Amino acid sequence: MLRVFSNVNVNMTDNAVMAEVSAGRVARLAVLFERYHRALFRYFISMNGHREQAEDLVQEVFFRMLRYRSSYDPAQSFTAWMYQIARNAGVDQGRRVRMAEVVDIDSFALASSAPGPEESVSRSQDLALLRRAMNQLPQDKREVLVLSRFQGMKHEDIAEVLGCEVGTVKVRVYRAIRALEQIYFTLEKEKAS
Amino acid sequence: MTCEQARTQMLGESGGEDFAAHLASCESCRNEVSRIGTLWQSLDLLPLEEPSGTVRERFYEMLGAYRQGLASAEPRKAFVWWQAAAAAALLVLGLGLGYGVRGDKSRPEMAQLREEVASMRQLVALSLMQQQSASERLRGVTWAYRAEPSDREVLGALVTAVNHDTNVNVRLAAVDALRRFAASPETRRAVIEALPSQTTPLVQVALIDLLVDFKERSAAGVLKTLAANQGANDGVRQQAQWALEKLQ
């Protein structure tokens, strides 16, 4: 019987794959694209709420990875490097297209995927409120929550992306969730009144 | 540990023994952990957005264009090298130290590029065939036609799809794609091994046709068993019998 997926390419670590891209085997970027394009898309859409912009930015990130591949240091965390590129791409686009500090809730709702199962359960109202609360979080707080919760990044990697100490990341994550909590309860009260 | 310090340990990575000891003695922090922990967990319930299919198409177009750009830059590089080599050769000649020692370096470079193209096709095929969506896996099978016929990894992925994919269309497409790998004895062996474990008549018939196309006489045993199997679909049994006659 054939051995299946024995190719180390598919199982290589991100750092090793990017090191190969950096060394000139640019086709290897396809592996990293398949691993990360969804996560990047979700990062961007969580930050700006616009599907088209998020998709453009995903494209931009992978293009920049190719363009700046020689600057990649294999000793550095790949995800931290990738999100640094993503942040810069987002900032650059923000200069071109003014990114709203607070996302327009209506447009975000339209951009969201088709009604999911959560909308058919009794908690749908809570989730809608939670989403609104997330969208109302200031961008810096939303970003640290997105990176730590949605992207599942380690505090060390987030610190590298944000250019701060690990302790600062922990404090920022705590403050972000507290801010989210306050916004959520405010929205809940508004709804009840 | 103070409450202030404990707050930075409440989320994400585990807090350690000091944090646990603090929680055991501080009701206020316990309540806070419970409250924001619930909110933290509930973030998981927010629906995940999916990018459209055009993101992948655009990426591979971009990658292809980038690689073409690299490839078209290679002759220029080679030209510069040739100029330098020619100058060096003339210098050597002029100095009476013999003829130039030039060589053609562009060939290994082009060979590397060709290898990278093959590698990219392989990666695209393998990556797509691992996707959750059946339509993506079908695209992966389509990409398998662009792989080198000697590519054992793509062959392995196709055989896996034939044997284990939950979607019958993907399994059928994978059977068809195996024709590209007809020259490999591994392909023939894998098709023979796949036949008894298949339960979908469409796939069974496709595999039988493939064995006939391969003129694979060593499949006679498996075909006889299938033709005699009363539990098998009538059409499949007839096809197996027909194949046995064709392969005689």
Side-chain angles (χ1 to χ4, degrees), chain A residues 34 42 51 69 174 181, chain B residues 32 35 50 52 56 66:
Chain A
E34 294 301 342
R42 286 165 189 158
R51 284 187 68 86
R69 65 184 191 277
Y174 172 76
E181 184 186 41
Chain B
E32 187 159 359
R35 205 180 62 249
E50 284 290 331
S52 71
R56 180 175 280 115
Y66 191 89

Side-chain angles (χ1 to χ4, degrees), chain A residues 33-193:
Chain A
F33 172 82
E34 294 301 342
R35 288 181 187 170
Y36 286 105
H37 76 279
R38 286 187 177 82
L40 279 171
F41 173 77
R42 286 165 189 158
Y43 166 75
F44 286 123
I45 205 161
S46 298
M47 295 306 298
N48 67 23
H50 298 281
R51 284 187 68 86
E52 278 184 20
Q53 279 180 22
E55 291 187 350
D56 287 347
L57 282 166
V58 170
Q59 183 82 353
E60 179 67 20
V61 168
F62 284 102
F63 178 67
R64 288 186 187 198
M65 282 187 204
L66 283 177
R67 198 172 172 186
Y68 303 121
R69 65 184 191 277
S70 56
S71 72
Y72 176 69
D73 174 7
Q76 186 187 5
S77 155
F78 168 73
T79 46
W81 183 72
M82 181 180 74
Y83 280 106
Q84 278 170 343
I85 292 175
R87 278 192 101 212
N88 291 338
V91 168
D92 290 348
Q93 199 204 40
R95 291 195 187 113
R96 293 192 297 271
V97 181
R98 187 180 292 250
M99 289 168 84
E101 186 68 21
V102 176
V103 175
D104 174 35
I105 301 302
D106 294 334
S107 70
F108 187 69
L110 281 174
S112 299
S113 53
E118 82 286 348
E119 291 181 18
S120 63
V121 299
S122 60
R123 299 171 80 174
S124 62
Q125 295 295 316
D126 294 343
L127 284 179
L129 272 188
L130 184 58
R131 187 157 59 187
R132 286 181 65 194
M134 270 296 285
N135 294 339
Q136 287 187 22
L137 261 185
Q139 199 148 2
D140 59 330
K141 289 188 167 63
R142 198 179 332 146
E143 181 174 45
V144 79
L145 268 190
V146 167
L147 292 176
S148 61
R149 190 69 184 125
F150 298 149
Q151 305 294 317
M153 288 175 72
K154 291 179 181 172
H155 287 150
E156 284 79 6
D157 288 345
I158 298 173
E160 208 170 323
V161 172
L162 301 181
C164 62
E165 298 296 319
V166 173
T168 309
V169 172
K170 291 179 179 177
V171 172
R172 286 190 189 176
V173 172
Y174 172 76
R175 286 182 181 162
I177 196 79
R178 283 300 305 267
L180 180 69
E181 184 186 41
Q182 285 169 7
I183 295 170
Y184 180 84
F185 285 131
T186 304
L187 290 173
E188 202 173 41
K189 279 180 191 167
E190 281 174 8
K191 193 181 157 205
S193 61

Side-chain angles (χ1 to χ4, degrees), chain A residues 1-7 9-10 24-31 33-34 37-38 41-42 45 51 55-56 58-59 62-63 66-67 69 108 111-113 118 123 127 130-131 134 145 148-150 153-156 170-171 173-174 177-178 180-181, chain B residues 7-13 32 35-36 39-52 54-56 58-60 62-63 66-67 70 112 115-116 119-120 122-124 126-131 152-153 155-157 159-160 163 186 190 193:
Chain A
M1 189 63 189
L2 286 164
R3 286 193 308 141
V4 177
F5 291 128
S6 60
N7 192 340
N9 297 334
V10 176
R25 304 197 72 176
V26 296
R28 303 281 184 197
L29 193 68
V31 176
F33 172 82
E34 294 301 342
H37 76 279
R38 286 187 177 82
F41 173 77
R42 286 165 189 158
I45 205 161
R51 284 187 68 86
E55 291 187 350
D56 287 347
V58 170
Q59 183 82 353
F62 284 102
F63 178 67
L66 283 177
R67 198 172 172 186
R69 65 184 191 277
F108 187 69
S112 299
S113 53
E118 82 286 348
R123 299 171 80 174
L127 284 179
L130 184 58
R131 187 157 59 187
M134 270 296 285
L145 268 190
S148 61
R149 190 69 184 125
F150 298 149
M153 288 175 72
K154 291 179 181 172
H155 287 150
E156 284 79 6
K170 291 179 179 177
V171 172
V173 172
Y174 172 76
I177 196 79
R178 283 300 305 267
L180 180 69
E181 184 186 41
Chain B
R7 280 174 191 139
T8 64
Q9 310 288 319
M10 288 179 181
L11 301 166
E13 292 151 36
E32 187 159 359
R35 205 180 62 249
I36 64 173
L39 186 60
W40 183 253
Q41 293 297 328
S42 64
L43 289 173
D44 270 352
L45 300 172
L46 289 175
L48 293 174
E49 298 274 346
E50 284 290 331
S52 71
T54 58
V55 170
R56 180 175 280 115
R58 287 172 63 196
F59 168 76
Y60 285 110
M62 182 269 289
L63 188 60
Y66 191 89
R67 298 192 72 262
L70 282 182
Q112 188 191 342
E115 189 189 317
E116 282 188 13
S119 173
M120 185 182 81
Q122 181 200 61
L123 290 172
V124 175
L126 293 179
S127 298
L128 286 171
M129 278 194 270
Q130 291 182 92
Q131 299 297 311
R152 296 181 71 241
E153 302 305 322
L155 171 59
V159 172
T160 301
N163 286 324
E186 280 181 296
E193 285 174 0

Side-chain angles (χ1 to χ4, degrees), chain B residues 5-235:
Chain B
Q5 290 167 330
R7 280 174 191 139
T8 64
Q9 310 288 319
M10 288 179 181
L11 301 166
E13 292 151 36
S14 60
E17 286 179 14
D18 287 351
F19 176 63
H22 178 82
L23 278 191
S25 62
C26 178
E27 188 180 356
S28 165
C29 282
R30 278 203 304 275
N31 290 339
E32 187 159 359
V33 163
S34 169
R35 205 180 62 249
I36 64 173
T38 304
L39 186 60
W40 183 253
Q41 293 297 328
S42 64
L43 289 173
D44 270 352
L45 300 172
L46 289 175
L48 293 174
E49 298 274 346
E50 284 290 331
S52 71
T54 58
V55 170
R56 180 175 280 115
E57 282 170 25
R58 287 172 63 196
F59 168 76
Y60 285 110
E61 275 171 19
M62 182 269 289
L63 188 60
Y66 191 89
R67 298 192 72 262
Q68 274 183 354
L70 282 182
S72 62
E74 290 302 325
R76 284 202 297 277
K77 217 195 269 183
F79 180 70
V80 169
W81 190 91
W82 268 98
Q83 282 182 317
L90 282 172
L91 181 63
V92 169
L93 189 65
L95 290 171
L97 296 174
Y99 292 98
V101 287
R102 60 186 179 167
D104 187 351
K105 271 196 173 176
S106 66
R107 282 184 184 171
E109 284 162 0
M110 289 311 291
Q112 188 191 342
L113 280 172
R114 276 196 295 274
E115 189 189 317
E116 282 188 13
V117 169
S119 173
M120 185 182 81
R121 287 171 179 162
Q122 181 200 61
L123 290 172
V124 175
L126 293 179
S127 298
L128 286 171
M129 278 194 270
Q130 291 182 92
Q131 299 297 311
Q132 286 194 332
S133 149
S135 61
E136 294 290 286
R137 298 200 299 279
L138 270 174
R139 288 185 63 208
V141 172
T142 307
W143 269 89
Y145 284 94
R146 303 184 203 183
E148 295 294 320
S150 58
D151 192 325
R152 296 181 71 241
E153 302 305 322
V154 173
L155 171 59
L158 286 173
V159 172
T160 301
V162 169
N163 286 324
H164 303 294
D165 201 287
T166 52
N167 184 288
V168 68
N169 293 323
V170 176
R171 296 205 298 277
L172 279 172
V175 171
D176 284 340
L178 283 175
R179 289 177 200 280
R180 179 162 176 74
F181 301 85
S184 164
E186 280 181 296
T187 309
R188 294 155 181 264
R189 197 162 53 245
V191 173
I192 294 170
E193 285 174 0
L195 189 53
S197 60
Q198 289 294 327
T199 52
T200 309
L202 276 173
V203 180
Q204 288 173 308
V205 168
L207 285 169
I208 293 168
D209 287 347
L210 194 58
L211 288 169
V212 171
D213 289 349
F214 286 171
K215 298 183 171 56
E216 189 56 52
R217 291 188 174 159
S218 65
V222 170
L223 290 169
K224 275 180 192 165
T225 307
L226 189 56
N229 182 357
Q230 297 298 320
N233 175 282
D234 286 346

